[in-house]
Amino acid sequence: AETERIAADRIEKETARLEQIASQVALLTEVCPAPPRPEYLGLPAAGRCVVQLLQVGAVGPSEAAQDTAAAVEELRAQAEQDLRRYAAEAQQALLELEQGLGADLDRAEKAAETALARARCQMQLQREREAAALLARQADAEEELRRVEARVKREKAESTAAAAAAVRERDAQLAALHAALVEDLDAVRRGRDEAMAGRAAEEELEAARTEVRRMAPPASCVVCQDDEFTLLDGVSCSAWPRPHFVCHSCFSGHVASEAERQEFDGHIRCPMASAAFGQGERCGAPPYPVAVVAQHAQDTFEGFDQRRRLLQEGRLVQELQAEFKDRLEQEIARALAQGQVDQARRHIQDRILTLACPRCSQAFDSFDGCFALTCSKQGCGCAFCAYCLADCGSNAHAHVAHCELNPSKGLFASADNFEQVQRDRRRQLILAYLEGKPSRDEVVAACETSLKEAGIWPL
């Protein structure tokens, strides 16, 4: 379109120039004998000849007109020839331009297709790398989850085993106590049977009791108020100066009644110690000894003794349960403290003492050359600093040159320099991690071997 416009402008200008020449020639035909100089009119060679002939008077006006017509025809033919040439040149230029534009368009299209294919390839590679990195991170996360689950199961099994051992120990203690109580009861019964077997004949005992009762001082029961008893017919409390006497029958009933009370504490006290009596009348004597109860309340002693033993066993069970609870809490606290120590030890060993990629945590031992490292794990490609292990994206050279742990500010250094920097860095990280921890000494003791191997012992 631009070429066509240029060609049309040139044709229009040439046409206008020819028309101007023709008008000037016609003017020369009418206006003589002094036509203007042809060099100012831009006439072709034929026009100049006609004008010169007019100027010298070699030809007349009619002949000059004929010559002028011939010159005009010649000019028109030349103009048409120029127009055809210009049109052909314009057509050729247009064709060349179209061909050039087509070639440029083809090249641009091919370049665009190449760039698009390259971009697609790069995008595919980037997606594959991201997918590989995602799979690697997922695998690492699953592995860490499995380790945590295994550790939790192990700790739970250890706690369960410790609790079961404590329960077995408590059951063994209770069984031993029950056996000891049963043995004591059997011993008491055997002693009683032996004592009963060694007694004198019933007639002799009755005669002796009658004689002793005749000589014994009289007594009045504080329960039934019967005064036909002697001190041998019942039991007296230890209240001073006036002990309270209770006959055998009333004492047996009193023992049975006390053993059935909900507030029974395993002791039998004087009936006058009841809360029903006033402060001045209430007896303050201590409880009757168990032997006295067994002697004077034989009919109800067995029920009393069973209730008393149940109370003793209950108290002992409560004491053992309290002791077991305390020990269990201590064991749990110790296990938790040990778990915290183990967790801190693993953190120091895995996260501080072990040199690893900051992105995927793949460990590395040593390297050669530049301190701007790149992770070798497939799908990671993390660029990081060998001094501070900082993640630097895809290029770590600029960071290494300005790293605060780099003493030379260069990209290369000796192995001794690297080891010294890592010892100082690890020591600072461990001290910062242990600051304020109550189990600091236990964690340091648990990491002693690893710290010695790393060359940072003592801290």
Side-chain angles (χ1 to χ4, degrees):
E2 183 66 20
T3 305
E4 292 178 356
R5 186 183 63 78
I6 295 173
D9 291 342
R10 293 181 63 183
I11 293 172
E12 183 178 357
K13 290 179 181 179
E14 290 296 328
T15 303
R17 189 173 66 83
L18 290 176
E19 290 177 355
Q20 183 180 7
I21 293 172
S23 62
Q24 290 177 353
V25 170
L27 180 61
L28 290 172
T29 304
E30 297 175 358
V31 181
C32 284
R37 299 183 63 176
E39 53 264 30
Y40 297 106
L41 300 177
L43 297 176
R48 289 197 300 272
C49 294
V50 174
V51 174
Q52 291 175 358
L53 293 175
L54 289 173
Q55 288 178 346
V56 298
V59 294
S62 59
E63 296 175 355
Q66 294 176 357
D67 293 336
T68 301
V72 170
E73 289 298 330
E74 181 182 358
L75 290 173
R76 184 177 290 107
Q78 184 178 358
E80 291 177 356
Q81 184 178 0
D82 293 339
L83 287 175
R84 285 192 295 272
R85 187 177 71 252
Y86 292 154
E89 292 176 357
Q91 188 67 25
Q92 182 65 27
L94 181 61
L95 181 60
E96 293 176 355
L97 181 61
E98 290 178 353
Q99 292 177 353
L101 291 175
D104 293 340
L105 183 60
D106 292 339
R107 286 193 298 271
E109 184 176 359
K110 291 181 179 178
E113 291 178 354
T114 303
L116 181 60
R118 187 181 298 110
R120 288 177 178 173
C121 183
Q122 292 177 354
M123 291 178 62
Q124 182 65 25
L125 292 176
Q126 181 67 22
R127 283 197 295 269
E128 291 177 356
R129 286 195 295 268
E130 292 178 355
L134 181 60
L135 291 176
R137 288 195 295 271
Q138 184 178 1
D140 294 340
E142 291 176 354
E143 181 64 24
E144 182 65 22
L145 182 60
R146 285 192 292 270
R147 288 198 297 268
V148 172
E149 184 178 2
R151 185 171 66 254
V152 170
K153 289 182 178 179
R154 184 174 64 255
E155 293 177 355
K156 183 178 180 181
E158 292 175 355
S159 300
T160 303
V167 170
R168 288 193 297 269
E169 183 179 357
R170 183 196 64 180
D171 293 341
Q173 292 176 353
L174 290 176
L177 175 63
H178 183 268
L181 292 176
V182 171
E183 185 177 357
D184 292 342
L185 180 61
D186 292 341
V188 170
R189 288 175 177 174
R190 286 193 300 269
R192 184 186 62 182
D193 293 341
E194 291 176 357
M196 293 294 294
R199 295 177 62 184
E202 186 65 28
E203 293 79 5
E204 297 177 358
L205 292 176
E206 183 63 26
R209 281 198 294 272
T210 302
E211 182 65 21
V212 171
R213 186 177 297 109
R214 185 180 62 81
M215 297 175 60
S220 175
C221 179
V222 296
V223 176
C224 63
Q225 301 296 321
D226 192 348
D227 57 358
E228 296 181 357
F229 298 106
T230 65
L231 293 179
L232 299 178
D233 296 327
V235 59
S236 298
C237 68
S238 59
W240 186 260
R242 298 182 59 185
H244 302 104
F245 173 80
V246 182
C247 68
H248 286 152
S249 176
C250 293
F251 186 70
S252 296
H254 176 63
V255 170
S257 176
E258 288 292 314
E260 293 176 356
R261 290 178 59 222
Q262 187 175 0
E263 300 83 3
F264 179 64
D265 59 355
H267 299 286
I268 302 297
R269 294 176 177 83
C270 178
M272 299 299 293
S274 173
F277 296 97
Q279 185 67 30
E281 299 177 355
R282 187 182 306 171
C283 179
Y288 296 105
V290 177
V292 173
V293 177
Q295 179 183 358
H296 296 279
Q298 297 180 2
D299 297 338
T300 57
F301 175 77
E302 186 172 357
F304 156 76
D305 189 55
Q306 290 180 355
R307 182 72 186 279
R308 182 178 66 86
R309 291 181 182 275
L310 288 176
L311 287 177
Q312 290 179 348
E313 291 180 359
R315 294 193 190 99
L316 183 59
V317 168
Q318 291 178 356
E319 293 175 357
L320 290 176
Q321 287 180 346
E323 182 181 357
F324 171 75
K325 183 178 180 181
D326 293 339
R327 291 180 58 185
L328 181 61
E329 291 177 353
Q330 293 175 2
E331 290 295 328
I332 293 176
R334 187 186 64 79
L336 291 176
Q338 185 63 36
Q340 294 175 356
V341 171
D342 293 340
Q343 182 180 2
R345 177 184 57 80
R346 287 193 297 269
H347 176 82
I348 292 175
Q349 292 177 346
D350 298 341
R351 300 296 182 183
I352 298 179
L353 296 180
T354 302
L355 299 176
C357 171
R359 187 178 301 175
C360 69
S361 300
Q362 175 174 271
F364 69 94
D365 185 18
S366 61
F367 63 94
D368 295 326
C370 181
F371 273 53
L373 305 182
T374 301
C375 182
S376 61
K377 185 176 181 179
Q378 185 177 4
C380 180
C382 173
F384 60 95
C385 175
Y387 286 109
C388 64
L389 304 183
D391 190 341
C392 302
S394 59
N395 192 334
H397 290 82
H399 174 86
V400 171
H402 298 87
C403 181
E404 61 181 6
L405 300 182
N406 185 356
S408 63
K409 302 305 179 183
L411 299 179
F412 298 87
S414 64
D416 294 338
N417 187 9
F418 172 73
E419 292 296 334
Q420 181 60 42
V421 170
Q422 289 303 322
R423 283 194 293 269
D424 295 340
R425 184 187 70 87
R426 289 166 172 169
R427 179 179 286 107
Q428 293 177 1
L429 290 177
I430 292 174
L431 291 176
Y433 176 73
L434 295 177
E435 184 178 0
K437 286 187 178 297
S439 57
R440 180 184 185 279
D441 296 337
E442 290 80 0
V443 175
V444 173
C447 299
E448 179 178 352
T449 303
S450 300
L451 295 176
K452 288 181 178 179
E453 292 176 355
I456 53 177
W457 181 265
L459 284 176

